[in-house]
Amino acid sequence: MRRTAVLVGLAGVLAAAGARRPVLRRWPSSIVQAAPCLPASELPGVLMAVQAAVGGLAAVRGGRLGPLANLAAVAALAGLRGDADRSALALADAVGGPEPGPAPGRPVAGRAARKRYLRLADVAYGDDPAQRLDVWARPDLDLSGRAPVLVQVHGGGWTGGSRVTSGSPLMAHLAEHGWVCVTVDYRLGPDHRWPAQIVDVKSAIAWVKDNIAAHGGDPAFVTISGGSAGGHLASLAALTPNDPVFQPGFTDADTTLAAAVPLYGVHDFSIDEHGLHHTVEKSLTGTRFADDPDTWRAASPLHRAGPDAPPFLVIHGSADTIVSVNQSRRFVHRLREVSTQLVGFAELPHAQHSFDEFPTARTGHTVRAVHRFLAGVHAHRLSAVGVG
């Protein structure tokens, strides 16, 4: 028990230190860094309780070094407990105001969210088995109404991930507030090379525009979100409306989007950060950047930003070891240079990659901020057309 307590304490100290200042930032070793740091940054209170319990048990059994190590871990983790509130402030700055009233409880997520809000499952929007989507909404949503719509794109390095496990806290929150959410799968690399992934996302958007009214959604107000690779595809889709190169066989379809919210997304393939070039080359394009720079840049949202970009809210964790926060910093800088629309940016302190898949206080602040941002865009759109 004494040795176990020491090891647990040391692990806690290292996890807290890595959550603040990650050392391993290049794929695939960055996974080793992210694994302990994600729970440390998102659930510090839980880990503190574990450390205290282990230290107390070791002390009862006469140990000294173990309890000291556990106490050190508790102290190291304690400094992370305020990050949820600090994230709320960063999000408030990005969306132009704090949360109204006291913050409610943690968001619904996972199976509970899917059971509560899933209305239509495994809908084909194309012929390939991977081209499937689900529709989420409140069971009492007025199907004759004009509810705003969100398309959710999963991450997974363009080679994995699933609509079933992605984005449930955000979709549950929006669905509860009267939105229709559509979560999509797409063909994955390396079996399917670029641009199959963005073609599928565009095809799913076209399906939404053609069919969502039957499920209570407004085809005139469709937004998009996604994390990691999904953030990349969401941003690119928003910045390339009706691009015929990405719409083979459906060039006449409308794929314009009203707003985009990428989370910890990849926005610039031209700069190799955290092992990005190796991942893109092997998993996505099948070409090297040096040999095919035009394709890589055309696939990069940063290089597609222009004055017609829709409103953006970009969210990224400062301690992300999988996708560098610099990807979002540069993207936001470029958007603010060229776009005539609102560009919000929230850099969340010590947040790790995929932080929002945990139904934590920080995730709660995040989904509510995203809702405020999108609701503001929606209200502005309704006002512009004389509705409201």
Side-chain angles (χ1 to χ4, degrees):
M1 181 64 200
R2 296 175 185 177
R3 179 178 296 179
T4 299
V6 171
L7 292 175
V8 170
L10 179 60
V13 171
L14 292 176
R20 289 182 172 84
R21 190 179 295 274
V23 176
L24 303 176
R25 292 178 176 266
R26 189 168 184 85
W27 182 270
S29 62
S30 54
I31 289 290
V32 177
Q33 180 81 83
C37 294
L38 183 56
S41 60
E42 297 309 312
L43 301 166
V46 173
L47 296 190
M48 288 171 64
V50 171
Q51 292 287 344
V54 172
L57 184 58
V60 168
R61 296 189 176 184
R64 285 189 176 182
L65 188 56
L68 287 176
N70 300 132
L71 181 61
V74 169
L77 290 162
L80 299 172
R81 294 194 68 183
D83 282 345
D85 291 337
R86 288 186 283 269
S87 293
L89 294 175
L91 289 159
D93 288 341
V95 302
E99 297 180 38
R106 294 178 177 181
V108 180
R111 291 181 180 179
R114 186 173 174 84
K115 182 178 180 180
R116 184 179 302 182
Y117 298 109
L118 180 65
R119 302 272 73 83
L120 201 62
D122 206 32
V123 179
Y125 66 86
D127 296 331
D128 191 278
Q131 295 169 323
R132 297 292 185 270
L133 58 80
D134 296 342
V135 178
W136 289 34
R138 282 174 55 142
D140 61 347
L141 183 71
D142 183 358
L143 297 185
S144 65
R146 307 287 285 180
V149 180
L150 176 84
V151 174
Q152 169 68 27
V153 188
H154 71 76
W158 305 281
T159 63
S162 168
R163 72 185 190 279
V164 175
T165 58
S166 172
S168 61
L170 175 59
M171 292 193 299
H173 182 81
L174 291 178
E176 181 61 26
H177 286 82
W179 285 61
V180 176
C181 298
V182 180
T183 178
V184 306
D185 279 347
Y186 49 88
R187 288 171 291 171
L188 300 172
D191 292 339
H192 298 279
R193 292 299 188 183
W194 185 261
Q197 295 73 26
I198 189 64
V199 168
D200 284 2
V201 171
K202 293 274 195 171
S203 183
I205 294 168
W207 184 95
V208 169
K209 296 272 188 168
D210 289 341
N211 296 279
I212 206 63
H215 305 287
D218 183 359
F221 191 84
V222 179
T223 65
I224 196 165
S225 183
S228 195
H232 161 254
L233 294 169
S235 293
L236 189 63
L239 294 169
T240 57
N242 308 326
D243 186 336
V245 175
F246 294 153
Q247 296 182 201
F250 59 106
T251 55
D252 293 336
D254 177 19
T255 58
T256 57
L257 294 163
V261 184
L263 286 82
Y264 41 88
V266 182
H267 302 297
D268 185 7
F269 285 175
S270 70
I271 296 180
D272 188 14
E273 295 170 306
H274 294 194
L276 175 62
H277 276 198
H278 179 270
T279 301
V280 173
E281 177 185 338
K282 299 300 182 183
S283 303
L284 195 62
T285 62
T287 63
R288 297 173 64 247
F289 174 67
D291 300 328
D292 193 18
D294 290 343
T295 296
W296 284 53
R297 288 195 176 95
S300 301
L302 183 145
H303 294 280
R304 305 302 291 263
D308 296 328
F312 264 82
L313 172 61
V314 181
I315 301 173
H316 213 125
S318 68
D320 194 325
T321 60
I322 309 300
V323 177
S324 172
V325 67
N326 290 324
Q327 286 274 329
S328 287
R329 289 171 180 167
R330 290 194 305 273
F331 181 51
V332 167
H333 179 74
R334 179 59 180 162
L335 280 173
R336 287 174 173 170
E337 283 184 330
V338 299
S339 176
T340 61
Q341 299 292 334
L342 175 66
V343 181
F345 178 44
E347 184 172 324
L348 308 187
H350 304 136
Q352 184 53 259
H353 202 71
S354 299
F355 72 88
D356 60 314
E357 298 299 338
F358 285 71
T360 62
R362 174 153 42 202
T363 296
H365 291 308
T366 300
V367 300
R368 291 188 291 272
V370 172
H371 180 210
R372 294 200 306 279
F373 172 78
L374 292 177
V377 175
H378 187 225
H380 180 76
R381 177 70 64 88
L382 293 180
S383 175
V385 298
V387 178

